[in-house]
Amino acid sequence: MNKKIDKIIKIVNRQMKEETNLNFVYQKKIGQIEFDELFTLDSIIISAKKCSSGFMHKRDTKEFMSNLYSNSYELLQELKDDLFEPTYFREAILTERGKLRKIKPPTFKCKVVQKVICDYMIRPILEQKMITTNYASIKGRGVHKMYGDIQKALELTNKDFIIIKTDFRNYFGSIDLEIFKNKLCRYISDKRIVKLINMFFIEEVSLGNEISQVPASFYPSSLDHSIKDKLRIKYYFRFMDDTLAIIHKCELDRYIENFKKESERLKLEIKSMEIIEHGKSFEFCKERFIWNKEYYRKINPQYRRNAIKRLKAYRRLEKPKKLIDDYYKTTLGVLRSRPNTKLIQKNITQIKEKLEVN
């Protein structure tokens, strides 16, 4: 019996090793893809279909998708002949999480090119180089996973620990372009691809562009790795420019010194650094962690309004029933993980039922 088990274990280990080696080779070689291998008619058509999902009410999206194959071929020729130039709509200023954000929305053709670069090159290269507790713009993560991970960390720590929150000032606007471009392009060998990527970053790293999101999330990775690998801080979490660490009190000075040093190296200015005693209530990325003998999460008071607003917005899009159903299930899942949300759940269910009737 033991011999059979040993044989099975050896087979499984060999398969895992082979799979790991394949992933390593893929991640290592992806940056060596050439321009003509990255931009093909297939990659453009697939990316256009992805970009059009939920945006078919937009004029430029309709125009491109009305003659998908012909327009995709024309775009491919523009790229191959070095005639493509990024184009944008008028810059807008939005309020997000209480902060003013400058958004520079790209046109549909511009979005398609960004989608090809992001899906087929930038994400495969950069995502695997980030720490697992960096949650912004990473597939399979996001704020709700981060909230859950923070909650677990709080349950595993005690009064000998403290919570430290930090935030960078004007994060996107203050990212140093030279450092940013070097970090982004050091893993890409084809100079034409590097040149094309750099065309999207003439003045600054702008919001509203997919090609900015993953690299911007990756930008402070040297800071993340210095904290997780060098200082061996187990409970460290980052969502773009917001960071939270739960550390032993004896590690505080070392943590602050390292954080400031690495931030200065990246030319990022620390806007705030708040130290909270374990056992005190606090807020992080609009999520409230309330202390009452133990930590629990209290729903954002704006969550109900935002959820209803999004449900109503989905009604105007293509395939509204599927979008509404998917978002409704996600919303209920979030609400059920919080105490005292039965009334909000009932209210959102009523709104969804009304939308289906109308």
Side-chain angles (χ1 to χ4, degrees), residues 4-64:
K4 286 185 179 179
I5 292 172
D6 289 341
K7 188 176 180 181
I8 291 168
I9 289 171
K10 284 179 181 178
I11 292 169
V12 170
N13 286 341
R14 187 169 64 248
Q15 288 174 341
M16 289 177 67
K17 188 177 180 181
E18 287 172 359
E19 186 177 336
T20 302
N21 289 337
L22 284 171
N23 286 336
F24 176 76
V25 170
Y26 171 74
Q27 290 161 359
K28 190 175 180 181
K29 298 292 184 183
I30 192 73
Q32 296 177 21
I33 285 178
E34 295 181 358
F35 191 92
D36 291 335
E37 294 172 320
L38 178 64
F39 288 101
T40 64
L41 190 59
D42 284 343
S43 69
I44 290 174
I45 289 170
I46 291 167
S47 297
K49 288 180 178 180
K50 288 180 180 178
C51 290
S52 67
S53 179
F55 292 93
M56 283 302 293
H57 60 291
K58 299 281 187 181
R59 183 186 297 174
D60 60 332
T61 306
K62 277 183 182 177
E63 287 176 359
F64 193 97

Side-chain angles (χ1 to χ4, degrees), residues 86-99:
T87 51
Y88 303 90
F89 293 109
R90 184 183 299 174
E91 188 175 84
I93 298 177
L94 304 177
T95 303
E96 181 188 357
R97 291 193 281 130
K99 301 174 184 177

Side-chain angles (χ1 to χ4, degrees), residues 67 133 139:
N67 202 345
T133 53
K139 290 180 179 178

Side-chain angles (χ1 to χ4, degrees), residues 38-272:
L38 178 64
F39 288 101
T40 64
L41 190 59
D42 284 343
S43 69
I44 290 174
I45 289 170
I46 291 167
S47 297
K49 288 180 178 180
K50 288 180 180 178
C51 290
S52 67
S53 179
F55 292 93
M56 283 302 293
H57 60 291
K58 299 281 187 181
R59 183 186 297 174
D60 60 332
T61 306
K62 277 183 182 177
E63 287 176 359
F64 193 97
M65 297 303 291
S66 64
N67 202 345
L68 175 60
Y69 291 91
S70 176
N71 289 329
S72 296
Y73 180 76
E74 285 181 15
L75 177 55
L76 179 61
Q77 293 307 120
E78 278 185 44
L79 288 160
K80 288 188 173 184
D81 295 338
D82 293 328
L83 298 175
F84 172 81
E85 288 186 11
T87 51
Y88 303 90
F89 293 109
R90 184 183 299 174
E91 188 175 84
I93 298 177
L94 304 177
T95 303
E96 181 188 357
R97 291 193 281 130
K99 301 174 184 177
L100 292 177
R101 308 285 196 188
K102 286 196 298 182
I103 306 292
K104 196 176 179 182
T107 59
F108 187 75
K109 281 172 64 174
C110 193
K111 284 169 67 176
V112 172
V113 174
Q114 290 187 31
K115 175 65 76 176
V116 173
I117 297 170
C118 288
D119 282 6
Y120 294 94
M121 179 160 277
I122 288 178
R123 281 190 181 276
I125 290 173
L126 297 186
E127 283 189 354
Q128 52 91 21
K129 297 182 185 300
M130 299 188 218
I131 60 170
T132 56
T133 53
N134 173 14
Y135 300 86
S137 302
I138 310 299
K139 290 180 179 178
R141 300 185 199 171
V143 288
H144 296 302
K145 184 178 188 317
M146 179 181 71
Y147 295 150
D149 290 348
I150 292 173
Q151 178 74 42
K152 289 174 188 174
L154 290 167
E155 291 167 1
L156 294 170
T157 50
N158 54 44
K159 64 181 181 180
D160 294 327
F161 287 77
I162 53 175
I163 299 148
I164 180 164
K165 297 194 305 175
T166 52
D167 183 19
F168 293 116
R169 188 183 302 279
N170 183 27
Y171 180 62
F172 273 79
S174 66
I175 289 176
D176 185 276
L177 273 182
E178 285 307 309
I179 298 175
F180 179 83
K181 288 178 183 178
N182 288 337
K183 281 179 173 287
L184 177 56
C185 298
R186 66 185 292 189
Y187 307 107
I188 302 171
S189 60
D190 191 304
K191 291 181 180 179
R192 288 184 70 193
I193 298 175
V194 171
K195 180 184 175 184
L196 179 60
I197 290 171
N198 285 340
M199 288 172 69
F200 292 100
F201 306 111
I202 303 299
E203 296 176 354
E204 64 177 12
V205 181
S206 59
L207 280 164
N209 287 271
E210 182 179 2
I211 202 167
S212 298
Q213 298 305 309
V214 176
S217 184
F218 171 77
Y219 185 74
S221 284
S222 58
L223 166 65
D224 298 340
H225 284 293
S226 71
I227 290 170
K228 294 277 281 191
D229 303 335
K230 183 181 174 183
L231 299 186
R232 299 194 178 280
I233 301 296
K234 186 177 181 181
Y235 303 121
Y236 170 81
F237 312 91
R238 181 166 67 81
F239 192 89
M240 207 60 84
D241 57 329
D242 294 298
T243 64
L244 182 142
I246 306 168
I247 60 178
H248 199 278
K249 289 178 179 178
C250 66
E251 296 173 320
L252 179 60
D253 291 340
R254 199 162 60 109
Y255 176 87
I256 292 174
E257 181 185 354
N258 185 82
F259 197 97
K260 287 181 176 179
K261 181 181 176 182
E262 292 298 325
S263 299
E264 189 176 336
R265 188 176 294 172
L266 291 165
K267 298 185 179 181
L268 292 173
E269 182 185 351
I270 298 172
K271 178 183 177 181
S272 63

